[in-house]
């Protein structure tokens, strides 16, 4: 045989053997992989895993429940006794009656609600619903002579209006038994007050100082610089003052009806005294005091019940107490 041919034959045979060995190993490996996929490892007894799963669910449920209870406890204050529900929009104003048994709220849905607080822990409160004239949004509210008389400031596109709602006093009729109490009616109203500017706050109190006749007087504070004093029962304008401080933030009346205080844009708090005539009417409203010492605009103020202090806050979250004597000579 030709030596060259023999070398070629031997080379071919050796190459075939190498290829056969390589592909044989490859196919055996693929076969083992397919077998492992077709026959997975048997699962353990499901009964052995059911108990740990149930215990785990119980633990997770208890943890979830405890977490929810902790979250609920953190959300409520220890003195939180109840929540007044039923408003259809944001609450824009609220006030208590003088006896503390009623709470009136003004809502952006155009409804005034008067809640009876006879049982503060009750799950449902009885309330009186008063619908304001259409097109208006209440911005402030206060009680007038009693719990059935309410003064509301309503903002419209044409300006701000004041409405006083009161119950109509009917003579009892023995033949007719009324199942429901009559709804309060508008006793007086003023439209486009404060030169069409919005009303920020309403503050009402019973005038008991000096020659005052015990009537309710109400101060309406506009978003401008003017404050108007009204007679709660008749709606008569008793006087007005101008803060001259670019814009007002709020105004308040002292509990006896003697002083009016205004918080405005500047760093000063101005006070006026309501001077009453011998017949109980308002004679004038004169400026008597200006409280200085703040470093920025005053945002809020209030009188203490005993009239010996007035707390007022200004921008920067700093609270300052200013004591003053009420024996200001008229």
């Amino acid at each position: 045989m030709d030596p060259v041919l023999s070398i070629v034959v031997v080379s071919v045979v050796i190459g075939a053997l190498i290829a056969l060995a390589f592909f044989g190993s490859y196919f055996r490996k693929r076969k083992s992989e397919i077998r492992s996929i077709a026959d997975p490892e048997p699962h353990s007894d499901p009964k052995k895993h059911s108990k740990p799963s149930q215990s785990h669910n119980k633990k997770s449920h208890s943890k979830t429940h405890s977490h929810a209870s902790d979250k609920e406890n953190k959300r409520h204050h220890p003195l939180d006794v109840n929540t007044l529900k039923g408003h259809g929009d944001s609450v824009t104003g609220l006030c208590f009656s003088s006896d503390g048994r009623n709470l009136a709220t003004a809502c952006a849905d155009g409804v005034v609600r008067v809640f009876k607080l006879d049982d503060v822990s009750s799950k449902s409160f009885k309330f009186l619903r008063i619908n304001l004239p259409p097109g208006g949004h209440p911005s402030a509210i206060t009680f007038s002579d009693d719990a059935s008389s309410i003064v509301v400031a309503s903002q419209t596109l044409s300006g701000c209006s004041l409405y006083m709602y009161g119950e109509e006093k009917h003579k009892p009729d023995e033949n007719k038994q009324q199942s429901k109490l009559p709804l309060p009616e508008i006793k007086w109203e003023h439209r486009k007050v404060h030169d069409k500017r919005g009303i920020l706050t309403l503050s009402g109190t019973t005038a008991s100082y000096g020659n005052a006749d015990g009537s309710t007087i109400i101060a309406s504070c506009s978003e401008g610089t003017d404050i108007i004093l009204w007679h709660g029962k008749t709606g008569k304008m008793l006087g007005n003052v101008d803060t001259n401080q670019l814009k007002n933030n709020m105004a308040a009346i002292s509990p006896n009806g003697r002083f009016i205080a205004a918080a405005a844009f500047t760093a000063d708090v101005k006070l006026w005294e309501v001077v009453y005539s011998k017949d109980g009417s308002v004679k004038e409203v004169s400026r008597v005091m200006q409280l200085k010492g703040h470093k920025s605009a005053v945002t809020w103020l209030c009188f203490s019940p005993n009239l010996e202090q007035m707390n007022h806050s200004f921008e920067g979250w700093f609270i300052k107490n200013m004591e003053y004597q009420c024996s200001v000579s008229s």
Side-chain angles (χ1 to χ4, degrees):
M1 179 179 294
D2 189 2
V4 176
L5 182 60
S6 62
I7 294 173
V8 172
V9 172
V10 171
S11 299
V12 172
V13 173
I14 294 174
L17 293 175
I18 294 173
L20 182 62
F22 174 79
F23 284 108
S25 175
Y26 173 78
F27 284 117
R28 283 194 299 270
K29 184 177 181 181
R30 291 291 298 170
K31 187 176 180 180
S32 63
E33 290 179 356
I34 293 172
R35 185 178 298 174
S36 64
I37 295 175
D39 300 327
E41 294 181 1
H43 294 287
S44 58
D45 189 359
K47 294 182 179 180
K48 294 181 180 179
H49 293 276
S50 60
K51 292 182 179 180
S53 177
Q54 292 177 359
S55 62
H56 178 71
N57 292 335
K58 290 181 180 180
K59 290 181 180 179
S60 62
H61 179 71
S62 61
K63 288 182 180 179
T64 305
H65 182 71
S66 62
H67 179 69
S69 61
D70 293 341
K71 186 176 181 181
E72 184 177 0
N73 292 333
K74 291 180 181 179
R75 186 168 57 250
H76 296 289
H77 192 275
L79 298 180
D80 184 6
V81 293
N82 217 320
T83 301
L84 300 179
K85 298 182 179 180
H87 299 91
D89 207 327
S90 58
V91 177
T92 56
L94 55 84
C95 65
F96 284 96
S97 60
S98 57
D99 57 5
R101 300 179 62 183
N102 297 273
L103 176 66
T105 62
C107 185
D109 60 2
V111 178
V112 171
R113 297 169 176 82
V114 184
F115 293 88
K116 306 295 182 181
L117 303 180
D118 295 333
D119 183 12
V120 294
S121 61
S122 175
K123 293 184 179 180
S124 61
F125 285 93
K126 296 180 180 179
F127 66 89
L128 182 66
R129 178 189 177 98
I130 303 174
N131 295 319
L132 295 179
H137 301 280
S139 58
I141 187 172
T142 187
F143 282 94
S144 185
D145 292 334
D146 50 37
S148 62
S149 301
I150 299 173
V151 179
V152 186
S154 178
Q155 183 69 40
T156 62
L157 295 176
S158 60
C160 199
S161 302
L162 283 176
Y163 301 98
M164 199 282 269
Y165 289 87
E167 293 182 357
E168 190 72 30
K169 294 182 179 180
H170 299 283
K171 293 182 179 180
D173 191 351
E174 297 179 355
N175 297 326
K176 295 182 180 180
Q177 293 181 354
Q178 294 182 351
S179 59
K180 294 183 179 180
L181 294 175
L183 292 175
E185 301 176 353
I186 297 178
K187 298 301 181 181
W188 57 261
E189 63 179 283
H190 292 286
R191 297 182 179 272
K192 300 179 181 179
V193 296
H194 295 282
D195 294 331
K196 300 183 180 181
R197 289 185 290 268
I199 293 178
L200 299 175
T201 58
L202 289 175
S203 177
T205 190
T206 302
S208 58
Y209 171 77
N211 295 322
D213 58 2
S215 300
T216 300
I217 58 174
I218 298 170
S220 61
C221 177
S222 78
E223 59 187 1
T225 62
D226 58 329
I227 301 170
I228 300 179
L229 195 64
W230 308 89
H231 191 274
K233 186 176 182 179
T234 63
K236 180 181 178 181
M237 189 172 70
L238 303 177
N240 65 302
V241 296
D242 196 326
T243 60
N244 294 316
Q245 292 179 307
L246 297 180
K247 69 181 186 70
N248 296 332
N249 288 330
M250 70 156 298
I253 305 179
S254 61
N256 62 355
R258 183 181 182 184
F259 295 107
I260 301 175
F265 180 77
T266 63
D268 297 331
V269 174
K270 294 183 179 180
L271 283 89
W272 293 265
E273 184 180 14
V274 182
V275 181
Y276 298 91
S277 302
K278 292 182 179 180
D279 59 355
S281 61
V282 175
K283 182 179 180 181
E284 64 176 338
V285 182
S286 58
R287 181 178 166 184
V288 294
M289 192 179 300
Q290 185 167 344
L291 304 180
K292 297 180 177 292
H294 306 90
K295 298 184 182 300
S296 57
V298 179
T299 58
W300 196 262
L301 55 82
C302 64
F303 288 92
S304 65
N306 58 7
L307 294 176
E308 293 180 355
Q309 281 188 337
M310 183 175 67
N311 299 333
H312 40 289
S313 62
F314 56 92
E315 293 176 355
W317 301 102
F318 180 76
I319 307 297
K320 182 177 180 180
N321 297 327
M322 180 73 70
E323 295 187 4
Y324 67 96
Q325 298 295 329
C326 292
S327 59
V328 180
S329 60
S330 59

